Amino acid sequence: MELLKEIANISGQSGLYRILKPTRTGVIVESLDGKKTRSVVGANARVSVLKDISVYIEDHQDAAMPLANIFLKIRETHGEKVELNTKNATEADLFDFLATVVPNFDRERVHGSDVKKMISWYNIISANLPEAFVVEVVETAEETKSEEA
């Protein structure tokens, strides 16, 4: 899931964006939806790159699992789309969903809104950037071949 270093969430804006290139005043981004609209995000905007996001787990005090690993586990468990309706889901429903993927997540430090975002982001990436998942499978297969040799 090396493509996650190019995908970002911009605070105050819905959806996900692909970072295209930096400018002197910020970065040029393209929306990950059917419209593919491009815009410039100022340097003072809060941009969170998905590659840098992780979820707390209970193994150690500051232990965390990268979002890329969680997305891959969601793909294995739930397929191309998560069918859970996040708008009507209770916090218990959201935590039950995450527990199927990451059984040891920290229930005190992970919030229901975090799980909603993860599900939404996963569905956006799966629908609009499916190669993010294919690349990882190819890399893993190549690593396996080199280990066997």
Side-chain angles (χ1 to χ4, degrees):
M1 299 225 41
E2 208 48 39
L3 280 176
L4 286 188
K5 67 182 178 186
E6 299 175 10
I7 308 301
N9 175 19
I10 301 169
S11 183
Q13 297 184 22
S14 64
L16 291 176
Y17 297 84
R18 185 176 211 158
I19 300 171
L20 298 178
K21 65 181 183 176
T23 67
R24 286 184 285 156
T25 59
V27 293
I28 299 173
V29 296
E30 179 180 71
S31 64
L32 279 184
D33 58 14
K35 299 174 186 170
K36 303 281 186 196
T37 55
R38 292 183 179 190
S39 58
V40 177
V41 178
N44 61 349
R46 208 168 112 209
V47 177
S48 302
V49 178
L50 296 191
K51 182 84 173 168
D52 299 335
I53 297 175
S54 54
V55 173
Y56 290 112
I57 56 176
E58 293 179 333
D59 291 348
H60 302 289
Q61 184 176 356
D62 291 325
M65 178 179 278
L67 189 59
N69 294 358
I70 294 172
F71 282 173
L72 289 173
K73 288 187 177 208
I74 291 173
R75 187 69 155 204
E76 291 172 9
T77 310
H78 297 278
E80 292 182 11
K81 184 176 182 189
V82 175
E83 298 294 335
L84 181 65
N85 183 350
T86 56
K87 291 183 181 184
N88 298 331
T90 64
E91 191 165 283
D93 294 337
L94 295 169
F95 284 174
D96 289 345
F97 164 79
L98 189 56
T100 64
V101 180
V102 185
N104 60 335
F105 79 95
D106 191 335
R107 292 178 183 265
E108 292 179 13
R109 297 196 287 178
V110 176
H111 304 284
S113 60
D114 300 330
V115 181
K116 283 183 181 183
K117 286 180 197 173
M118 279 187 272
I119 293 170
S120 171
W121 293 346
Y122 174 81
N123 285 336
I124 290 170
I125 292 171
S126 187
N128 297 295
L129 200 64
E131 61 269 21
F133 300 99
V134 174
V135 171
E136 185 67 28
V137 171
V138 170
E139 288 175 3
T140 304
E142 289 174 3
E143 289 172 6
T144 304
K145 287 180 184 175
S146 64
E147 287 175 6
E148 291 174 356

